[in-house]
Every structure is written in C-alpha cells, then in structure tokens.
Amino acid sequence: MENPRLDGERTRQMLAAQAAGMGITEAFIDDLVETFYARVRVHPLLGPVFNTAIADWPAHLARMKDFWSSLALWTGRYHGKPVRAHQSMPGLTPALFPPWLALFRDTLADIAPSPQAAAFFMDRADRVAATLKAAVERPATNGH
C-alpha cells in the first residue's frame, strides 16, 4: 500500500519540476511580486486603494510571495483568507479587477521567463480575480 504522504510529495515534486521547466522558480516569483506591486502602488486607480489598505508593504509582499509560491510551485507556504481580506478592503470594487489583470498581464509580458510561464500565471491570476471579484460583489456576512 502506498504512503499517501509520500505519494503527495512525489506529485508536488513532479508539478514543481514542470513549473521549473517553464522557468518558474522562487527567484522569478520574488521578481514578479516585487515588480507587480511596485507598479500597483503608482497606478492611478489601483495605487490609492492598495496604498490605503496595506500598512506594511514588506509583510504584504512576503505574504504574496508565499501565495504565488503555493499556487505555482505547490509549496503550501500560504495560509491566509484572501476572500475575507478582499471583501473588507476599503475602496475595492469589481471595476478594479480589469485594470489589476491588465497590469499583471503587462508585468508578465515584461519579465516572464517564457511564454508558457506567462500563460501559467495569467491563467491563475484570471481565476483568482474571478473568485475575489465575486466575493467583493457580495458583501461579507457575520462570519459566513
């Protein structure tokens, strides 16, 4: 009988190897997060909302690196509640998701190590944005 933990680790290693084959590494994720959020901070629509909501940028960037590492390299480092965080973010409206995605796409076009890596991240960004946009469209309820 296979050990489920060992089998899960083999799967994680296989998926991480596929990501590495596209040029997706921790170093790239660090660069992506740093570059993208530097652009967010000065963006005419996104900047005011994010700069108001995020008091500690270094901590936020570290959290985002964990988030993208977990999505791309299956590291399991991210342990957060992004839906709840975005539902309570002052000034965040559904109208801000298209510019967020466009800026993410432009950042990937500028720095992604391969077209495959850009497509991989854009697919995940589209899914994340769809989930968060839906959450922002319906207000948070008392703990539900």
Side-chain angles (χ1 to χ4, degrees):
M1 179 183 237
E2 278 289 314
N3 178 337
R5 174 172 258 146
L6 185 57
D7 191 47
E9 179 59 21
R10 281 191 203 126
T11 299
R12 190 200 69 72
Q13 288 176 355
M14 180 190 71
L15 295 170
Q18 289 173 349
M22 292 183 271
I24 299 171
T25 62
E26 292 288 355
F28 168 67
I29 291 168
D30 287 352
D31 190 27
L32 174 62
V33 168
E34 294 284 343
T35 302
F36 175 67
Y37 280 101
R39 293 175 180 189
V40 164
R41 292 178 80 172
V42 298
H43 189 276
L45 297 174
L46 301 172
V49 174
F50 279 83
N51 288 319
T52 298
I54 299 168
D56 184 348
W57 274 100
H60 182 71
L61 296 176
R63 194 173 308 114
M64 293 301 91
K65 290 172 185 178
D66 288 347
F67 176 80
W68 287 106
S69 176
S70 291
L71 280 180
L73 300 175
W74 299 272
T75 60
R77 290 189 346 224
Y78 179 76
H79 304 285
K81 299 191 181 325
V83 168
R84 185 173 298 163
H86 287 83
Q87 282 179 317
S88 64
M89 194 169 156
L92 184 61
T93 66
L96 292 177
F97 285 91
W100 185 91
L101 284 168
L103 189 61
F104 199 82
R105 186 176 291 107
D106 291 346
T107 303
L108 286 168
D110 291 343
I111 69 167
S114 69
Q116 297 84 2
F120 177 93
F121 272 89
M122 216 44 241
D123 174 66
R124 277 133 187 95
D126 284 332
R127 291 186 212 181
V128 167
T131 299
L132 296 178
K133 182 180 178 209
V136 167
E137 289 173 334
R138 68 179 191 289
T141 58
N142 300 326
H144 295 96

